[in-house]
Amino acid sequence: MVRARPDSPLLFDIVERPDFSFETAAKAEGLWPVAGMDEAGRGPLAGPVVAAAVVLDPANIPDGLDDSKRLSHAQREAVFETILGSALGVAMASVCAEGIDASDIRKASLEAMRRALCGLPVRPKLALADGRDVPPGLPCIGRALVKGDQRSQSIAAASIVAKVMRDRMMADCGKLHVHYGFEVHMGYATQRHRVAIKAHGPLKRLHRVSFAPFRLDSEETAEAETASLGY
């Protein structure tokens, strides 16, 4: 007999929180230290993609670790400081807008994670990467975890470090380029950002001119010029 599905809604949504189980299992396999890797800034129209690699101390795991997108600015800043003060190793790396344009955002993100891992002061035996891809060229075993920042505390720590560092970089860009509001939108395609680009144009070495809005504008301009010449 097939039991009918209840039509009453759940009283609450079950939110998955990261834990240390992947790292503990790896340690039992003899794969220790374990580093978590993640990036911030795949989607924006401007700025670098920033990655971080973190090796947590199993005896001193910070409270509040979670996917950086599920934390407020104040929460990220507080946990960031705790991570820096307690982790066995933390490293960051970035690929600039020109580097993104020269390849693509996926490759640039993986390269930033590889660089961050290579910059750790401790040599991991296993690297856990958020997403579906393992960065090529790692100096250790790599494993990809889909939604890793919501499952692994090491990846969650890396996501927080990457996000905080990128936000600070974009806030500094906002001080230099006051018309664009980078300190507010962090380079994402908000209405304010699009209006600023239309009024002042893209910034060399900061805007990702290979991204769709810039490509489409360029194609439309070329078509208009061609039409004006009667071709």
Side-chain angles (χ1 to χ4, degrees):
M1 177 178 178
V2 178
R3 188 183 299 273
R5 293 182 60 186
D7 57 4
S8 58
L10 292 174
L11 293 177
F12 54 86
D13 292 327
I14 299 174
V15 179
E16 191 171 25
R17 299 290 181 185
D19 58 31
F20 209 65
S21 59
F22 291 100
E23 295 85 343
T24 301
K27 193 172 183 180
E29 294 177 44
L31 297 175
W32 185 262
V34 176
M37 300 183 298
D38 202 358
E39 50 72 29
R42 285 184 67 131
L45 300 180
V49 59
V50 177
V54 177
V55 178
L56 293 174
D57 180 354
N60 192 15
I61 297 176
D63 292 330
L65 291 176
D66 201 350
D67 174 0
S68 63
K69 297 182 290 297
R70 300 201 299 206
L71 300 177
S72 68
H73 173 79
Q75 289 173 325
R76 286 195 298 267
E77 288 285 339
V79 181
F80 172 82
E81 296 297 336
T82 306
I83 293 168
L84 295 189
S86 62
L88 300 177
V90 178
M92 294 147 277
S94 65
V95 173
C96 67
E98 286 183 320
I100 295 168
D101 290 335
S103 56
D104 60 53
I105 187 59
R106 174 183 167 276
K107 292 177 182 176
S109 299
L110 295 175
E111 173 60 13
M113 284 195 277
R114 185 195 68 80
R115 293 179 188 177
L117 187 81
C118 291
L120 284 169
V122 294
R123 186 69 176 264
K125 289 188 177 180
L126 174 66
L128 301 175
D130 181 49
R132 298 183 180 277
D133 302 308
V134 175
L138 295 182
C140 65
I141 298 170
R143 294 176 183 169
L145 286 180
V146 176
K147 293 187 178 180
D149 48 9
Q150 298 177 23
R151 301 167 66 194
S152 159
Q153 288 180 322
S154 296
I155 296 178
S159 78
I160 292 167
V161 172
K163 173 64 173 168
V164 169
M165 290 304 300
R166 187 180 188 281
D167 282 358
R168 291 181 180 183
M169 293 167 72
M170 296 308 297
D172 286 342
C173 288
K175 295 174 185 176
L176 292 173
H177 306 287
V178 296
H179 300 298
Y180 291 84
F182 292 124
E183 71 283 1
V184 176
H185 53 67
M186 307 304 168
Y188 283 88
T190 63
Q191 179 66 19
R192 175 177 177 179
H193 191 188
R194 289 176 178 272
V195 169
I197 293 171
K198 195 171 187 65
H200 306 285
L203 292 166
K204 189 176 181 180
R205 302 184 65 186
L206 191 58
H207 279 104
R208 303 172 182 180
V209 295
S210 63
F211 275 39
F214 300 108
R215 286 204 317 274
L216 293 174
D217 287 346
S218 178
E219 290 168 2
E220 289 172 358
T221 300
E223 289 176 0
E225 291 175 348
T226 300
S228 68
L229 293 174
Y231 294 147

